[in-house]
Structures are given as C-alpha cells and as structure tokens.
Amino acid sequence: MIKKIIAVIMALVLALSLGMAAFAADAGEKKEEPAAEQYDYNQDPLVTATASTVTDYANGDLIHALKDVVDKDGIPVTDKDGNVKQEIEKDEKGEPKVYLGTKTYAMYQVTAKKMFALNDVPSYTFTQELKNSDGTPIIDETTGEPRTEEITYKVKEGGDGDSVKYEGIPVYAYYAVKCPKCKMATGGYTYYEIYSANAGCCPHCGFTFPSPSDESMVFYRFIVVSRMSTDNPTSESKYYDKFKEYDFTKYSGDVFGDSAQYYGEGKDLPQQFLTYENVYDETIYDEGKQDFGATVETLTGFQTSGKAKNSTTSTLYGMLSSIELWLEPITQFLSNSMFVQMRTNIKEGWYKIIDAILTAPFT
C-alpha cells in the first residue's frame, strides 16, 4: 500500500515537473519571438504622398503617384530629350493606385449652380473702349479710332469684376473616419492631416490608427466649404456660415464623382452630416484666461444617410444672386447714360436689401 502511495506521489511530481518545464519552454519561445512591427504612418505612402511626389489627376479629383517607365530589361525608357518617361502607378488589378496626400478642391459657380475642376473654371473675355478720366474715349492717333483693350474675368472666390456671375465658392473634399475602438469621429482635408494631428492616434481615446488600407478604417468623403478663405488663409471665408448647410453633393459629381467608390458606401456626403461638439482641451492656450485649457468645437461623429436640406440662408443667397444677374443689363445701361448716380444708388440699395434679408433673425 505504501509503495502504491509513493508511486502515485512520484507520478504527480513528474507530471508537474514536465508541465512546468513545457510551460517555461513555451514562455521562453514567446519571449524570443520578435515584437510586432509598429505601424508608422510617416512611412505609409497612402498617408504621406504630397503634391511634390504625385500628379494631380483631373485637377480636383484623385491623386495618383507617378513611376518611371522601364523596358523588359528594367532599363528606364527616355524620350527624345533624354528625360525618363513616367506613368501612373497601377495596383494589382491594373487600376490606378489612389493616394490622398494633398488638399483638393473645386470651384462652384453661384449663378450657374455648377461645379468645375480647377483646370476648367469658366472665364469670360470681352473688348471695351479705353476712356479718359472725364469719360471720353481715348482715340488712337494712327487710326483715328477709339482705342480698346481685352478684359478677361474668371470665376473665383469672392468674384471678379462687377458681375455676380463671376462669383465662385471653393468647395473641398473632406475625409472623416470613426475610430475602430471608441467609434468617435475624426477628420481632415487629407489623410496625413488626420494622422499627424495626434501623432497617428485617435484624438478622443488615444488608440493608434492602423493604415488607411485596414478594413477597420472606413473613410467617408464629405463635400464642404472651408471655414477659412482660400485667398487669405488667415481670415474666415464669407461663405462658411451661409453654405455649411448646403448640399453640394448634387453638383460635385461632375468633378469628384468617379472617385466616390473609394469612400464609405460609394457616395459623397454633405457637410451638414458632420457632428461637432464643444470639447475641453487642456493643451489649447486660452488668451483670455492667459492659461492652458479651452473649449474647442470638435468633430465627434457623422451620419452616413438621411435627407439633406439646404438652409434658408444659402437658398436666399442663390436666389438673390440670380435676380441680381437678371438686373445687370439695366444697371449696365444706366452706367452708360446720364443716370450714373442712379445706378450706384440702385446697387447700394440692392446690397443693403440682400444683407438685411441674410442677417434677419428668421434666416
């Protein structure tokens, strides 16, 4: 009996010692395994490609990287001037490889209700007589005819010349993604802007973002008006408050449409679908308090479906701009007649009416 008890004890001791040895060996093997490579967004071309390393495709649409063209032996192909030929980089499916490292925008013509890529913005050229300071024509001494000059106006931010038809609104592609961990949103005008703003981490919970190509990072594209002016980045755009609740996706397909497939459910979303909240940030310096810590309007979420409605302000702005364009022949006639001051009074009164309507409480 004693022998049996001793045998059982020895068997248990042997089993335990073998189990501990195996566990130790297993633990030792795990310790010897190399640590998982940390993702570095600064090394990811999907994030860091910039305007200096890529070509602008359709000027306001996709961004594609260029690579050298090589022959079957891997030798670079050159043109007649000795320059190496380049072509758009393709993915494994033969499709152009997409990069989003540079800020892209288009121009929306207010009166035409149409969006244009930057290389296709409308311009208007006409001939006008040169005048002396007293308004009389300047006569060419050689021909005896009135001298003329060609004037070209282009649709641009804030407009150009005297006509409202030259007024354009810069409209940007804005990207937003929800953190795979906390599900709160962050966004920016480029992928690099999103990643670099918080050193590659979610600004809400600190989770380290994986590559944009990771299936957990589902990016959505919004068509927005920038808060800051394109012409003068230090001042706020006069269009932001008026058009932040305007659905530009009805017109953006002409410029951005063929790349919508790369984002979300394959369609662009309006700016009003973005959700902002006032969030306290202890790293922001508050000049009023002369101390760190301030409340900042922060992107926290977004919706991906629903019906977009244009704000009263943006609708009125577009409608009044169309009326002003219709009235322009009258004011132009008056400017060439004895009623120059009357034209000035009409325009000044007209703009006062527009400003009064747009700033009224009900708008």
Side-chain angles (χ1 to χ4, degrees):
M1 184 67 178
I2 294 175
K3 289 182 179 180
K4 288 183 178 180
I5 294 174
I6 292 173
V8 171
I9 292 173
M10 289 179 68
L12 288 172
V13 170
L14 179 62
L16 285 171
S17 63
L18 290 173
M20 290 177 67
F23 177 78
D26 184 57
E29 288 175 3
K30 285 184 177 179
K31 286 182 180 178
E32 291 173 1
E33 288 179 355
E37 185 177 347
Q38 182 69 33
Y39 169 70
D40 182 3
Y41 69 89
N42 283 301
Q43 303 300 317
D44 189 340
L46 289 174
V47 178
T48 58
T50 64
S52 62
T53 59
V54 298
T55 180
D56 188 340
Y57 177 72
N59 201 338
D61 199 340
L62 294 177
I63 304 300
H64 295 312
L66 292 175
K67 69 173 185 177
D68 293 344
V69 177
V70 296
D71 60 22
K72 61 181 181 180
D73 298 319
I75 300 173
V77 178
T78 58
D79 59 22
K80 63 180 181 180
D81 297 320
N83 300 313
V84 177
K85 292 184 178 180
Q86 293 186 313
E87 63 183 1
I88 292 175
E89 186 179 353
K90 304 291 182 65
D91 60 19
E92 60 277 3
K93 296 180 181 178
E95 297 293 330
K97 198 168 184 179
V98 181
Y99 293 84
L100 296 148
T102 188
K103 197 171 183 179
T104 58
Y105 70 97
M107 191 65 69
Y108 175 77
Q109 188 176 13
V110 177
T111 55
K113 292 186 178 180
K114 186 172 175 60
M115 197 169 293
F116 299 91
L118 297 184
N119 60 356
D120 193 33
V121 175
S123 61
Y124 304 85
T125 301
F126 60 93
T127 302
Q128 69 175 16
E129 289 186 352
L130 292 173
K131 301 289 183 69
N132 293 302
S133 57
D134 60 359
T136 59
I138 298 177
I139 305 300
D140 189 297
E141 296 180 356
T142 303
T143 64
E145 299 293 329
R147 292 178 58 186
T148 61
E149 65 176 349
E150 282 195 345
I151 301 293
T152 299
Y153 291 120
K154 189 173 184 178
V155 175
K156 67 178 186 178
E157 180 180 9
D160 194 11
D162 293 329
S163 177
V164 70
K165 82 178 168 185
Y166 310 135
E167 185 175 18
I169 303 175
V171 180
Y172 290 82
Y174 182 86
Y175 309 97
V177 63
K178 290 184 178 179
C179 172
K181 183 178 180 181
C182 71
K183 308 305 179 185
M184 295 186 74
T186 185
Y189 291 103
T190 67
Y191 281 16
Y192 185 74
E193 187 174 301
I194 293 173
Y195 278 78
S196 62
N198 202 44
C201 299
C202 171
H204 306 292
C205 71
F207 175 75
T208 300
F209 286 153
S211 170
S213 61
D214 190 275
E215 62 180 10
S216 67
M217 297 290 284
V218 182
F219 285 82
Y220 291 82
R221 188 172 67 185
F222 296 79
I223 307 301
V224 308
V225 177
S226 172
R227 184 185 292 271
M228 306 310 294
S229 168
T230 301
D231 282 348
N232 183 10
T234 61
S235 64
E236 187 166 299
S237 169
K238 73 171 189 175
Y239 299 110
Y240 178 74
D241 287 331
K242 294 181 177 70
F243 285 92
K244 65 182 179 181
E245 293 187 20
Y246 190 78
D247 185 11
F248 286 106
T249 62
K250 295 185 294 184
Y251 313 103
S252 60
D254 291 339
V255 178
F256 298 99
D258 63 351
S259 55
Q261 59 181 308
Y262 293 98
Y263 315 102
E265 278 75 54
K267 62 179 181 179
D268 287 325
L269 302 172
Q271 190 166 10
Q272 59 191 265
F273 281 11
L274 295 166
T275 303
Y276 291 88
E277 296 179 26
N278 289 325
V279 177
Y280 183 78
D281 189 337
E282 60 183 14
T283 65
I284 301 295
Y285 186 76
D286 188 331
E287 294 184 0
K289 297 188 303 182
Q290 295 293 301
D291 196 6
F292 282 94
T295 300
V296 183
E297 187 180 60
T298 306
L299 177 67
T300 57
F302 55 80
Q303 65 187 74
T304 59
S305 62
K307 187 174 182 180
K309 295 182 179 180
N310 294 332
S311 66
T312 304
T313 301
S314 61
T315 302
L316 274 174
Y317 194 97
M319 181 182 70
L320 294 174
S321 295
S322 298
I323 294 174
E324 184 182 351
L325 182 63
W326 178 73
L327 287 174
E328 278 186 0
I330 298 175
T331 60
Q332 287 171 0
F333 166 77
L334 293 176
S335 70
N336 294 319
S337 70
M338 61 183 297
F339 302 107
V340 174
Q341 187 57 49
M342 184 184 296
R343 172 183 180 270
T344 302
N345 293 340
I346 288 175
K347 290 210 71 171
E348 288 180 353
W350 176 246
Y351 280 112
K352 286 179 181 178
I353 292 172
I354 291 178
D355 289 339
I357 292 175
L358 293 178
T359 56
F362 67 84
T363 62

